[in-house]
Every structure is written in structure tokens, then in C-alpha cells.
Amino acid sequence: MLNFIIRKILMLIPMLIAISFLIFLGVDLMPGDAVDFMIPPDALSSVDPVKLEALREELGLNDPFFVRYVKWLGNIVQGDFGYSLQSGVPVAELVASKLPATLELSIAALIISTLFGSLLGVVSALKKGTLVDNALTVFGMIGVAIPQFLFGLIMIMVFVFKFQWFPVGGRMTPGSEFFFMRLDYLVLPALTLGLSLTAGVMRYSRSSMLDSLNKDYIKTARSKGLPEWRVNLVHGLRVAMTPVAVLIGFRLPMLIGGAVVIEQVFQWPGVGQMFVMAVRSQNTPVVMMVAFFSVLIVLVSSILVDVVTALLDPRVKLS
Amino acid sequence: MHMQETVLKVDNLHVNFYTNQRCNKALRGISFELKKGRTLCMVGESGCGKSVTANAIMQLLPDLSRIEEGSITYWKEGEKISLGELKKNGPEIRALRGEEIAMIFQDPMTALNPVFSVGFQMNEMLMNHSSMSKKEATKKSISLLTDMGVPAPEQRVFEYPHQYSGGMRQRAMIAMAMACEPKVLIADEPTTALDVTIQAQIFELMNTLKREKDMAMMLITHDMGVVAEMADDVAVMYMGLIIESGTATQVLGNPTHPYTSALLESIPMLGKGKNQKLEPIKGTTPDPYNRPPGCQFAPRCKHADEKCHTHMPPEFFTKEAHMVRCFKYEELNHER
Amino acid sequence: MSSQALQKKMDDLLYKEDHGLLKENTTSRTLRKILANKLAIAGFVVFVLMIIMCAIAPLLTKYGPNAIDLRNRLSSPSKAHIMGTDQIGRDIWTRILYGGRISIFIGLGSALGAALIGVSLGTYAGYRRGMLDSIVMKVSEIMMSFPQIILVSILVTILGQSLWNLLLIFILTGWPSMYRMARSQMLSIREQEYIQALQAFGIKGHIIAFKHMLPNAIGPIFVNITLSTAMFILQEASLSFLGLGVPLETATWGNILNVAQDLNILREAWWVWLPVGLVITLFVMAVNFIGDGLRDAADPTQVG
């Protein structure tokens, strides 16, 4: 197992380099550069263009592409992701400060989706054809069709404005940093972010469970005189879990993408919100780093999916 | 002749399937008995209803089907239990499953759960019907595997089904079925998925068990060769009906129903040599939704007359309790 | 179904069967399945209806999508404006109709464009294997490791915001998954014997791939196109909500929702954003139903 993980990580490296190249290329093509940001727009006219050029030379902004790329790559390996064009703060620091918020949100959404989705999906399968099943199916259909941010907006309208159960946005108020005290800020964003994943997991675990319950080993289990709950929940469920785990692994990138939008809706101070602002203001270093890290997370999660699959299904050979 | 004790009796069983918005009458009134220490072979083509019968006995029929008429009776230490009336998957039938009546299936690869070890699945059977602890159950499982001829059982018990070979898997299934020493073993085409050489071993194993435990065995097969080897009693099925039944000597030595004779003439039997004359049975089995009104075999039968085409023959019995569902049974029977 | 209801249904079928009321149906099984799938039909009807309504927009409203009327800002639904007006007085109903044209165009167009590229590549590369396949595969892997929205945001900033740019970007980011799907279909069809027979006859590679293999994979491909359409419409909505999609002057469903970022409008003027949101949801659901229906119809293993 350990060998497998190490090998997979090693295989990642050429991928990461290729991707870093693409990111660097892409962001390099974005209009504007460091010097443009150092000068406020209204002062631009009074600055000597020759001096600007000299500055560019000095900062190495006119060096050939590959030189700049390699320099950038070298910096990254040392943990230096450059400085935010907006605030001058090292990007790494910025991201590190915002990361916990996004992680909190994403992990909460992931847990909610996995638990609720699987639970509801299994219930749906066991009660196939009943009112419960049909109602859940309808819920699932709406859940995958509704734009996530719209759901968030509706949640805000109902639970924040109408019922006033939850605060309107943000992550906490000063003085209540303790996790359980600020749970009410987390509830709506996490539920919203997890919505489409929950619906997807629910649908998939329902069909996976139905598939499993149709198999021959279910009949064998009954023929041994086992009680129904054991037939369904030990034999049926256990086999149904593997495809669902794989699905969740594949949908993790969506969770990251979703965070970008949801953080905006709820004014959640995370990396996603930072990314949107950076894109709007063409804050290249920030955009680059966030893009790079999001890809890293996606690649790591694909390795995780392989590991989890191997753990869940003894037939899978890690080769 | 020593008194043969009946442990399971099926009487006039009718089972209907309701899939695809149609009604398929899979079993149309079959009756037979399973006796202690004797093997009954149910033989017939695919689709004749052999597996349905087995599932009906175990009350494992699929959701979209039901027993319409008839009874299944099991004798547990003198006490009569009507299986058809027990609550579906209720505590009574579950107490019987595995402990009194056990079943083994055609394909052990799909019949065993791939994500649990063989030992786990065997322990389940043991722990469900007794108060054994996991440790005790594992010990017993290992000894069962040894009895069934699985090599290195102490390791094998922790392995998964996909790590076993085909023959070993079936032995493990048999071990699991025999774990609680059932009085009745139902085997649904247990060797169809295995090589012929393994087949012989498995049957030898089953015979030994039958003798040692004085078990009643119901063996479902489509292979007349298997019948010749294993059967004490035979029941030939066609289109949801038993058209001939009796002891193996009676049915194989004196096949009376035209279908039985045709079956025996159409397949090669090991040991009869290479100059066997093979006669395929003319025609095809009728569409289950479009059955002939009278005897189901009439359209393909060379002896059939007007009455055969319009009336369903009842069960006729010869003096020796050899049952034939054919109006012409007296002419066709050559009993001494 | 409860067991009593089940018993009754069975008794019913038994009676009908005994009285010869159930006969074999001769109409094509696929057609029967599609027709039996009421959701798919409903979805299709809604889908077509909405497209028609957007297409004939001028007939359904007298306002222009960008007609500003500052005296009637943020007025709630009334006789003059059935869905009210937005913050600069534009009629919402009109904007939904005209916006639908753009959003549906982007959704369908991107899905078809991505399919064109992805399926062509997948069919040929999947059949040929070799260098081409490995390279395209690697490229698709790299592109698929980016969360869509991040990749799209970067591309939007590089290329600039415009309708055609967005279409291009969606196609660019959408073809890899179509490619993978078409390719995996090809790989399994490839193993079939009739392909070997065609090769033995000396028929050219691309003819085998496109004329003989592709038609067999068409089912899942169509399903994928419908589901991609839904996905792209949702993506456009998200991007426009963030202000990164089509420029705000043009009405699209997502753009109309952009104003909902303002909490005041969110609270006080529900008609500005809620109806559009529901329209998007409805359209996406309709498309999903069609996709599900196609998938069920093409699946031979379903039993009733």
C-alpha cells in the first residue's frame, strides 16, 4: 500500500510541472503586470515611461519567457509564491491565512453530503417505490438542477431574513472564535455548498444499493436464515459503498469550484473569495497560486480515491 | 423394503411470476417428496421451473411472484410445519433456513459476497443459528473446510472468494451449507459452472455427506448423466409440471413419458460408447405466455392424439408408484 | 409498493392473463420505453416550449431587454410589468425571454461544440491508439485536473469577456470529458469481432471508426450531450453571477442574477432574481429528464 502511494505521488510530479507551466503561461498572457499595479492609475500620466521600462528591466519582467518560468518554478519550490499585486503581502501568507476558512467550509460540506447523501440514498433504495422514495427522488432532481448559489440565496432569504435564525454572512463575530460558538455562521454555507453533491450521492447510492440488492449473494445471505436488516445493511450496503466512495472522490473538484461561488454568496472569507477578487483585479500571483493549489488538491484526491477503493474492495489489486 | 421417512413434501404447488406486466405460470401443480438419506434429482430443460421449485421451498421467491396454490410441508422432529404459510423472511422460516433446510447455488463466485472473507460468511451461518462466539465459529469453520477437502484451511478461512479456485469455492459453499447439519440439502445445478473432473469430486463429496448425515438431498440439474450417477429418485419436469417421477431405476430403466424417452435418446451418456444413436427432440418449448391447451408436450409428441391436445393429463400411477403424466402411460410403460 | 397493493396488482394481472387481455406488443421496445417515461416526455415538452418562447420573444413582450425606465425602478410585478422591473427599470420578463436566447445558445452550443471535438478525437484516437491517443489522453487528464470554474476564470481574464469567448472557453474546457467518454465506448466496441472482420477486409481506419463504430456509441453520447448542456447553463449562471461571464449589458439568465449580490435587492426585490433562478432550474431539470429518459431507453437491462 505504501509503495503504491509513493509511486503515485512520484507520477504526479511530471503532471504538476506540466500544469505549472500551463498556469504560468496562462497567467502570463493575462493583461497587466507587476509594474502596472505599483503605480496608482491617476499618477500614471505623471510617471516617466522610461523610468517604468527601467523598473521592468530591473524586476526581470522583460526577460525571456523561459527564464521567468524557471525563476518562478524555483521560487515555488522554495515556498515563495511571489507577492500580491494588491497588498504586497506574500501570496503564500495570504493563502495560508484564508485557507482554514475554506477548509472548514469544504470539509463540513463534504461530511454533510457524504452522510446525508448515503443515508437518504440507502433509505430510498430500501423503500423503493414508496412515498419516501419518490419524495427523495424529486428532491434529488431539484438538487442537481438548481444553481448552487441560487439555493444559497433562497436559504438566505428564508432563514436569514424571514426567520432570522442565522447571521447574514461572514464567518464569525469578534469574540466568538470558538468553533461551536460560530457554528451558526457555518450551517447555511456548508449546506449550500454540499447541496449538489448530496443530491448526486443520494441518487448514486440509491442505484448502487439497488444493484447490490439484486445480486446473488443477497439470496445466499437470506438462505442462511439471516435477518433482513443484516442482509440489507451488512451484505447489501457494504458492497454498495465502493462505487459511492469513488463517485465522491471524483466530485471533490466540484466542491472546490463550488466554494469559489458560495464564498461569494455568504461573504465567507476564504480562498475562493480571494480568488474571485484576484481575477477581477488581475492579481496574477494570487491567481496562479490558487490555481496551482486547486489542481494539487484534485490530484491528491484522485490518489485518495484509489486508496479508499482498495481498502473497501478486496478484489482491487494495487499494481 | 425399509420405510423411507419423508422430511419434505410438496403438494400441488402453483407459482406465478408477475414481471413485465404479464403473468407467467411457472409452476402448475407439482408434487413430490424428499426422503431421508435419498437424493431426488429434478431434471429438465432451462425454464422448466426447477429453480423456481427450490426457491419456493426456501421461501426465496423474488418480489414479483407468489405461491398461488398448494402446500409445502416440512417435518421437524415429528412436527409438521407448513412452509408456504410462514411470514415472508419472518423468524420461523429463518430459523429453518440453514439449520434444517440448506441450499447451495450454481455459481459460487456470484453467490458469495466478494467483500467478506469466506470465514466471515461461514461464521455468519454458525453464529446465526447458535450461540457460538466468533472464535469458536472460526474454529468450526476451519474444521468444516478441512472436512470438505479445502487445503490449508487455517489460511483459507481468512481469504476472499476471488482468491479461491472454482472447485474450492463450491466446496466452501457446501461447507457453509452443511455447517449446521441440515436435514435437507437443496443443490441448484452445483457443478454446472465447474470442470467435469471437479464435478465428479464435488458429487462424491455430496454423496458421502448424504450417507453420513442421513440427509435428504434435492439435486437440480439439466444433465441426465448426473441423474444416472447421483439419483435415488427422479422427477422429470417440463413447462412447470412434473411429467414423470419415480425411483431412478424406474424412470431411467423404464422411461414411460415420451419426453423422458426423448431426453434419454437425445443426449450422449458417458459409458455407452461412441455409436450411440442421438435423436434430437423435434420442435421447441412453447412460449410460456402462449401455452398449448392440453398436454404441454403434445405438439412435439409422436404419440399424441386428440385428447392429448385438448386435455391436461392428470398424474397416473403404476402399481410401483411410478408417476407418469400421460394418457398413453399404459402402452408406453414396459414394467415387468 | 405495500404488500396489499402488490397482492391486488398480481390478482389483477392474473385475471387479465387468464382472460387473454394481455397480448404481446409489437411496437419497438425502445419507443415504448421512451413513451412510458412520462418525465422524459414532460421534460422534452418544457424544453421545446421554453426554446420557442425565447425565440419568439418580441411577440411575447413589448419592451426591449435593455430599455431603461428610471421612473419605474424596482417595481414589483404589476399589469404593466408582469415580473416587475430591475434596479434601472428594465422589464424582468423581457430580460428573461431575451436572456434565455443567449443562455440556451451557450448551453447547447458549448455542449455540441465540445461533443464535436471530443467525440471526433475520442473515436479516432480510441480506435487508432498509439501516439495520438497517448498525447490527447495526457492533455485531457491535465485539463480535467483543474476545477472547471478556476480554469474558466483564468481563460476569461486572458481572452476577455464576450459571448463568443465564453462559448469558445466552454468548448475548450468541455471537450476532454466528451473525449474520455467517447474513447471508453470505442475501446469496448473495438474488441468486438465485427471490427476485426472489417479490418481484415482492408477497410480504412477512419471509415471503420466513424461509419461502423460510432453509430453504436451514439446512445451514451447523446445522453452526455444533454447532461453537458445542463452543466454549461449552470456554469454560465455561476460565472455571470460572479460578474465573470457574458458582459453585464447583454441579458443572460446568469447576468440577471448578478444583482442578487446586493443584499438589499436580495431582501426587498425578490422578483428580480427568484423567477430567473426558477427558470434556470426548470430548464435544467427538463434537460436532465430528457437525458435520463434517453439513458433508460438505451439500457437493455431494465426490467419492469
Side-chain angles (χ1 to χ4, degrees), chain C residues 57-79:
Chain C
L59 295 177
L60 293 170
T61 169
K62 60 181 193 247
Y63 300 101
N66 289 318
I68 300 178
D69 181 5
L70 290 171
R71 271 178 304 152
N72 281 323
R73 305 166 60 220
L74 289 179
S75 56
S76 51
S78 61
K79 269 180 82 176

Side-chain angles (χ1 to χ4, degrees), chain B residues 58-206:
Chain B
M58 293 284 280
Q59 293 295 297
L60 285 177
L61 289 171
D63 286 331
L64 293 176
S65 60
R66 66 178 180 187
I67 297 179
E68 301 290 327
E69 221 188 299
S71 67
I72 307 171
T73 318
Y74 175 69
W75 275 266
K76 182 178 171 177
E77 288 147 9
E79 183 199 335
K80 249 170 96 162
I81 306 179
S82 177
L83 296 181
E85 291 167 18
L86 297 176
K87 176 165 172 240
K88 189 169 179 178
N89 292 325
E92 302 94 5
I93 188 75
R94 281 192 285 113
L96 294 173
R97 283 180 192 155
E99 199 170 335
E100 304 279 328
I101 312 176
M103 191 157 163
I104 60 178
F105 302 91
Q106 184 174 327
D107 186 359
M109 189 64 235
T110 57
L112 290 171
N113 193 322
V115 303
F116 295 123
S117 69
V118 173
F120 175 92
Q121 299 184 56
M122 288 177 70
N123 289 354
E124 256 191 329
M125 171 75 107
L126 289 165
M127 283 156 58
N128 187 42
H129 293 285
S130 70
S131 51
M132 282 192 200
S133 71
K134 190 164 133 187
K135 244 173 140 182
E136 293 167 343
T138 311
K139 239 176 101 184
K140 174 100 176 133
S141 298
I142 295 178
S143 85
L144 280 165
L145 285 174
T146 322
D147 291 341
M148 300 304 157
V150 174
E154 308 84 16
Q155 286 158 273
R156 290 288 185 186
V157 79
F158 296 111
E159 286 180 0
Y160 294 90
H162 67 274
Q163 291 171 288
Y164 282 45
S165 74
M168 269 202 285
R169 272 197 289 270
Q170 196 58 290
R171 287 175 190 269
M173 264 256 274
I174 297 175
M176 193 167 78
M178 300 298 298
C180 300
E181 311 214 342
K183 311 284 184 308
V184 179
L185 179 67
I186 302 177
D188 191 349
E189 307 222 33
T191 55
T192 308
L194 302 172
D195 293 335
V196 180
T197 43
I198 311 286
Q199 182 170 309
Q201 293 172 12
I202 299 289
F203 281 139
E204 197 188 307
L205 175 61
M206 288 169 75

Side-chain angles (χ1 to χ4, degrees), chain B residues 213-314:
Chain B
K213 319 278 182 189
D214 205 25
M215 201 171 60
M217 194 152 74
M218 176 168 144
L219 178 55
I220 296 174
T221 179
H222 61 268
D223 187 341
M224 284 305 250
V226 168
V227 177
E229 275 291 314
M230 300 285 290
D232 295 311
D233 301 307
V234 180
V236 182
M237 281 188 77
Y238 186 73
M239 296 297 289
L241 289 162
I242 297 183
I243 46 98
E244 182 160 3
S245 69
T247 66
T249 337
Q250 286 172 333
V251 178
L252 293 177
N254 189 0
T256 309
H257 195 285
Y259 178 63
T260 319
S261 324
L263 258 187
L264 287 167
E265 280 170 30
S266 72
I267 52 169
M269 299 256 259
L270 276 180
K272 269 196 173 175
K274 63 179 184 187
N275 287 323
Q276 302 173 44
K277 192 157 159 278
L278 299 178
E279 280 274 345
I281 309 179
K282 295 194 192 355
T284 52
T285 49
D287 173 12
Y289 296 109
N290 224 339
R291 294 172 183 246
C295 169
Q296 303 289 285
F297 190 64
R300 304 163 82 179
C301 178
K302 55 186 182 219
H303 302 280
D305 64 16
E306 175 93 33
K307 190 172 180 200
C308 299
H309 285 291
T310 49
H311 291 79
M312 170 71 79

Side-chain angles (χ1 to χ4, degrees), chain A residues 72 75-85 87-100 271 274 283 285-290 293:
Chain A
W72 177 72
N75 283 339
I76 288 202
V77 171
Q78 291 174 46
D80 174 10
F81 282 86
Y83 298 84
S84 161
L85 293 184
S87 56
V89 176
V91 177
E93 216 175 275
L94 257 160
V95 172
S97 69
K98 301 269 184 180
L99 196 59
V271 178
M274 188 175 76
N283 193 342
V286 175
V287 172
M288 267 201 254
M289 178 164 182
V290 175
F293 263 92

